[in-house]
Amino acid sequence: MPSNRPKLSFALATVTTKAIWLLLGVAFVAGLFTARYAASFLALGTFVLTLVPFVVARKFDVYVPRRFMAAIILFIFATLFLGEVVDFYNRYWWWDVVLHGGSALGFGLIGFLIVFMMFQGDRFAAPPLAIGLFGFCFALSIGALWEVFEYAMDQTFGMSMQKNGLQDTMWDLIVDAIGGLIGSGAGVIYLIRDSDAPFATFFRDIITHNKRWFAKYRSK
């Protein structure tokens, strides 16, 4: 008997995406009526950014699982709107840590898939551990670039994105490393054990639906 879990996951992801868009729309209108124009601007900017993953996926003809797309939208919403407009960064000390960990996990998965796509399972050119290492480095590099961006914004515009300075930066990088290790490590386990791997459904979904990017691997 087929499981209804994929259908439920798809429905939940769709509801989550539409709920976020609705909340952003309400926040935009409310900001205009209460003269909180900065909040309206951030709500509108957040909404526009949530559309970017759909545009990129369509432009490059890449299939992205709806659950992963919803996770990206939720991350953007949590970072810009909840973090800045609702001030979660100052209300909850762990908010920035959670977001860094989640983004690093996502970039670890993406980095692994990018490197795996280039070699497509050629174990002589790149064994699983090597692909995982490159995926980990990709995630950590993105995290480091973000810290450079925070430093540049603080120095140029007098912002306080780094908050406690060096301590904040180092904790962010540590969390980035942990998240990237989990994401890329899951990819290594997938290549070795397939169905027993964490995120195996995600990897299989990507590979199955993006045939032209993984044609060599799928022909084996």
Side-chain angles (χ1 to χ4, degrees), residues 68 72 103-116 135 138 183 202-203:
F68 192 73
I72 295 174
S103 64
L105 172 61
F107 282 121
L109 295 172
I110 294 172
F112 172 83
L113 283 170
I114 290 175
V115 179
F116 178 63
F138 176 82
F202 169 76
F203 291 126

Side-chain angles (χ1 to χ4, degrees), residues 146-219:
W146 178 256
E147 295 304 319
V148 172
F149 170 76
E150 286 187 346
Y151 175 79
M153 295 297 288
D154 289 353
Q155 295 297 314
T156 305
F157 300 105
M159 301 178 67
S160 59
M161 296 184 70
Q162 288 185 300
K163 297 178 179 63
N164 296 324
L166 179 61
Q167 184 177 4
D168 177 77
T169 299
M170 291 309 302
W171 273 113
D172 287 346
L173 290 176
I174 291 171
V175 173
D176 289 338
I178 295 173
L181 183 62
I182 294 174
S184 58
V188 173
I189 297 173
Y190 174 75
L191 287 184
I192 297 174
R193 303 181 62 179
D194 193 7
S195 60
D196 294 332
F199 302 102
T201 302
F202 169 76
F203 291 126
R204 195 178 300 110
D205 205 14
I206 290 285
I207 294 172
T208 301
H209 287 86
N210 292 287
K211 297 180 180 179
R212 68 191 185 96
W213 298 107
F214 297 95
K216 181 179 176 181
Y217 177 75
R218 285 174 52 80
S219 65

Side-chain angles (χ1 to χ4, degrees):
M1 183 177 180
S3 174
N4 291 324
R5 189 173 299 176
K7 293 182 179 180
L8 291 175
S9 298
F10 181 87
L12 180 60
T14 302
V15 170
T16 300
T17 300
K18 292 183 177 180
I20 289 174
W21 286 342
L22 178 61
L23 287 172
L24 290 174
V26 171
F28 174 74
V29 175
L32 293 178
F33 274 99
T34 58
R36 296 182 61 201
Y37 301 116
S40 291
F41 175 77
L42 277 173
L44 180 61
T46 303
F47 173 73
V48 172
L49 285 176
T50 61
L51 299 178
V52 172
F54 292 98
V55 174
V56 172
R58 177 170 296 183
K59 180 176 178 60
F60 293 98
D61 191 24
V62 176
Y63 168 82
V64 179
R66 180 57 63 92
R67 288 172 295 176
F68 192 73
M69 192 73 79
I72 295 174
I73 293 172
L74 181 61
F75 173 78
I76 296 173
F77 175 72
T79 301
L80 295 179
F81 187 77
L82 295 181
E84 298 295 341
V85 177
V86 191
D87 201 28
F88 272 24
Y89 286 125
N90 291 321
R91 291 186 181 186
Y92 308 107
W93 65 267
W94 45 264
W95 192 251
D96 187 51
V97 176
V98 171
L99 292 180
H100 267 278
S103 64
L105 172 61
F107 282 121
L109 295 172
I110 294 172
F112 172 83
L113 283 170
I114 290 175
V115 179
F116 178 63
M117 180 185 66
M118 292 189 296
F119 294 101
Q120 296 196 38
D122 189 342
R123 294 175 180 269
F124 295 99
L129 285 177
I131 297 177
L133 176 61
F134 281 113
F136 169 76
C137 291
F138 176 82
L140 196 56
S141 297
I142 297 296
L145 287 174
W146 178 256
E147 295 304 319
V148 172
F149 170 76
E150 286 187 346
Y151 175 79
M153 295 297 288
D154 289 353
Q155 295 297 314
T156 305
F157 300 105
M159 301 178 67
S160 59
M161 296 184 70
Q162 288 185 300
K163 297 178 179 63
N164 296 324
L166 179 61
Q167 184 177 4
D168 177 77
T169 299
M170 291 309 302
W171 273 113
D172 287 346
L173 290 176
I174 291 171
V175 173
D176 289 338
I178 295 173
L181 183 62
I182 294 174
S184 58
V188 173
I189 297 173
Y190 174 75
L191 287 184
I192 297 174
R193 303 181 62 179
D194 193 7
S195 60
D196 294 332
F199 302 102
T201 302
F202 169 76
F203 291 126
R204 195 178 300 110
D205 205 14
I206 290 285
I207 294 172
T208 301
H209 287 86
N210 292 287
K211 297 180 180 179
R212 68 191 185 96
W213 298 107
F214 297 95
K216 181 179 176 181
Y217 177 75
R218 285 174 52 80
S219 65
K220 293 183 178 183

